[in-house]
Amino acid sequence: MISIKNTSFFFSSMLILSSCIKQEKIQKINYTLPYKFNYEIEDKLAKDSLPWKFQIAASDYASKGNYKDALRTWDSVFPMRERTYTSTETDSIKTSFTPVNAIDFITSEATKTQITIINEAHHSSLHRNFTKQLLQKLYNNGYKHLGLEALSNGNEKDTELNTRKYPIQTTGYYTKDPQFGDLIREALAIGFHIFPYEQSTDKNGKEREIAQAKNIQQVINKFPNEKILIHCGFDHALEGIHSSWEKALAERLKEYTNIDPLTINQVLYSEKSNPKFNHPLLKVFNINEPTILINKKDGKPMPYIKKDSWSDIAVLHPNTTFVNDKANWLNNQIPINLNNYQLTYPVMVLAYLKNEDISTAIPVDIVELKDKNSACLLNLKKGEYNIVITNIKDSFLLHKEVK
């Protein structure tokens, strides 16, 4: 039998304990997960017979913000070999070029033209994050319109994007990546008008480049005195003669508008999944920020050159470091406590802004946890969020405020 004295002590202790622990309201919800778990991506990859199955898998990883596995999977397609410059070549490069901050230099150069075109690799969240960093400075210098190749167009166009102010799952294919979604969200918050320009009649090759350029030309004709930023994929940012398309988007746009765009390549001098396979130029300079190399003789930036075509500027990106598989350029890591949730692992945790629809919106961040010992960290800025925790079978909703 418990004495009255002991009972009093027991309830007093529980009261103190309860006051120290903030009880979390566990709300079970019905939720349809729009992203694949890692095992689903790998299972599909193992069974797929398409020649480009690794590129699809890399895009699937990128779409859920898994930059590390996106790099690994993409690199598995291509033969890798370690390349280095000789000490003489390294000394010559260091003597010939000065590294400068890429964002500052691009911002300055972009003031000299009406159109700036920057590319991405379609598996790289890093490239989308970099373009996002340019937005405010370009807007301050007169850039008011943002054209995105990745946006659905034609009958599938997201006609409410500019009024809704955030992207949804049907806004585009590559835009499902939280970093791409945040690029769009940030641009809309700053004040950009966002528009699609992809062809919508299944054209490819030369015809696709022409259709894209003409779609952008229509926007320029509508806003003849306003500056435009274009974010495209791979070779579309090339000027000059293209080996397969005759002229890529950038050159076609120059032809149709008589405007010489500033063209920027991010792809060649970006990291590989294993740093030893990086382009040797990345091993010459010990960079810790996106960088452009300036030729000391003429003061011009080092271009990207591909046979008879080029982009005006080549960006060098530093190697990413990972903590709990999260990239160091995602710098607002907030821990989420999952101890109160009875879940079978793996689980996926998705963060949505409080005012956005969790059934349709692009999350601001996603993390997959393989077991209960995995650290749950989400890249969250100041604000209020709805956090979805799911293993497909069971889903829960957590409200989180970051102060």
Side-chain angles (χ1 to χ4, degrees):
M1 178 181 291
I2 301 176
S3 68
I4 295 175
K5 181 178 179 181
N6 287 339
T7 303
S8 176
F9 175 78
F10 173 78
F11 282 111
S12 297
S13 299
M14 289 302 295
L15 185 61
I16 293 170
L17 183 60
S18 297
S19 67
C20 294
I21 300 175
K22 183 180 179 181
Q23 294 299 317
E24 202 172 78
K25 183 179 179 182
I26 300 175
Q27 182 181 353
K28 195 165 185 178
I29 61 171
N30 293 321
Y31 176 79
T32 301
L33 180 65
Y35 296 92
K36 297 183 180 74
F37 277 92
N38 291 352
Y39 71 84
E40 293 178 292
I41 297 173
E42 292 299 323
D43 285 350
K44 184 175 183 294
L45 182 60
K47 297 172 183 176
D48 206 336
S49 59
L50 290 172
W52 51 87
K53 64 180 183 178
F54 287 97
Q55 290 93 323
I56 295 173
S59 294
D60 284 340
Y61 276 123
S63 74
K64 57 185 282 189
N66 186 339
Y67 176 67
K68 191 174 189 179
D69 282 325
L71 277 182
R72 172 187 58 80
T73 308
W74 183 271
D75 288 347
S76 66
V77 182
F78 306 100
M80 307 286 283
R81 64 186 180 90
E82 186 174 2
R83 295 179 295 161
T84 57
Y85 290 130
T86 65
S87 58
T88 301
E89 289 172 327
T90 297
D91 290 342
S92 175
I93 292 169
K94 286 184 175 180
T95 301
S96 301
F97 292 95
T98 300
V100 300
N101 179 277
I103 292 176
D104 292 341
F105 187 83
I106 289 171
T107 301
S108 175
E109 290 297 295
T111 63
K112 303 173 184 178
T113 184
Q114 189 179 352
I115 304 171
T116 293
I117 304 176
I118 186 168
N119 74 349
E120 69 160 34
H122 290 319
H123 65 284
S124 180
S125 302
L126 169 67
H127 294 163
R128 296 153 187 171
N129 182 275
F130 179 74
T131 296
K132 182 177 68 174
Q133 294 179 60
L134 290 169
L135 292 176
Q136 186 65 65
K137 290 191 174 185
L138 291 180
Y139 187 83
N140 294 346
N141 282 278
Y143 282 79
K144 306 302 180 186
H145 306 275
L146 173 61
L148 299 173
E149 176 192 307
L151 296 181
S152 299
N153 206 359
N155 294 332
E156 298 178 348
K157 179 181 177 180
D158 183 355
T159 57
E160 298 179 358
L161 178 60
N162 284 280
T163 53
R164 189 194 315 111
K165 301 298 184 185
Y166 66 88
I168 58 177
Q169 291 292 327
T170 55
T171 295
Y173 174 69
Y174 296 118
T175 55
K176 296 178 182 181
D177 170 13
Q179 284 304 303
F180 212 143
D182 212 38
L183 186 163
I184 294 171
R185 197 179 281 108
E186 181 79 9
L188 291 169
I190 289 170
F192 277 93
H193 159 245
I194 295 180
F195 66 93
Y197 64 85
E198 180 60 276
Q199 57 79 32
S200 54
T201 55
D202 294 326
K203 294 177 180 177
N204 218 329
K206 174 183 175 180
E207 290 75 21
R208 182 187 180 200
E209 303 305 298
I210 291 172
Q212 287 186 338
K214 287 186 175 180
N215 286 340
I216 296 171
Q217 183 187 21
Q218 289 178 6
V219 177
I220 293 172
N221 291 342
K222 187 176 180 180
F223 305 99
N225 300 313
E226 298 183 10
K227 293 179 181 288
I228 293 178
L229 172 64
I230 302 296
H231 180 96
C232 62
F234 294 105
D235 277 10
H236 300 297
L238 288 174
E239 302 176 65
I241 304 302
H242 193 275
S243 57
S244 299
W245 307 331
E246 294 182 12
K247 297 176 183 179
L249 166 67
E251 186 66 27
R252 289 290 178 191
L253 197 54
K254 186 194 304 184
E255 175 186 350
Y256 299 152
T257 65
N258 292 318
I259 299 169
D260 186 9
L262 174 67
T263 48
I264 304 161
N265 181 284
Q266 295 194 78
V267 176
L268 181 62
Y269 302 112
S270 285
E271 66 189 330
K272 303 297 183 184
S273 52
N274 186 337
K276 77 176 184 179
F277 296 126
N278 283 351
H279 190 284
L281 193 59
L282 281 175
K283 304 173 186 179
V284 173
F285 296 95
N286 184 27
I287 60 172
N288 57 15
E289 63 180 2
T291 297
I292 289 168
L293 299 181
I294 304 298
N295 191 309
K296 293 181 180 180
K297 287 184 178 180
D298 58 17
K300 294 182 179 179
M302 183 188 72
Y304 165 73
I305 298 175
K306 184 178 182 180
K307 296 183 179 178
D308 296 321
S309 58
W310 71 89
S311 292
D312 297 318
I313 296 174
V315 177
L316 282 67
H317 283 290
N319 289 329
T320 297
T321 56
F322 294 91
V323 178
N324 294 312
D325 290 333
K326 302 291 284 187
N328 65 309
W329 35 266
L330 299 176
N331 53 10
N332 297 296
Q333 299 303 316
I334 304 297
I336 305 297
N337 181 8
L338 302 185
N339 291 337
N340 292 335
Y341 299 89
Q342 299 299 318
L343 287 165
T344 302
Y345 285 77
V347 301
M348 203 176 296
V349 184
L350 308 93
Y352 296 88
L353 285 173
K354 184 181 178 182
N355 64 336
E356 297 182 3
D357 185 350
I358 65 171
S359 66
T360 59
I362 304 300
V364 297
D365 199 17
I366 304 172
V367 63
E368 180 176 333
L369 309 175
K370 63 181 180 180
D371 56 46
K372 64 180 181 180
N373 296 318
S374 302
C376 184
L377 297 172
L378 289 170
N379 184 53
L380 306 177
K381 296 181 288 188
K382 181 179 178 181
E384 293 186 65
Y385 299 88
N386 288 318
I387 310 294
V388 175
I389 304 143
T390 185
N391 60 9
I392 300 179
K393 181 181 178 183
D394 297 307
S395 301
F396 299 90
L397 184 65
L398 164 67
H399 302 286
K400 177 78 174 179
E401 182 177 2
V402 179
K403 297 182 179 180

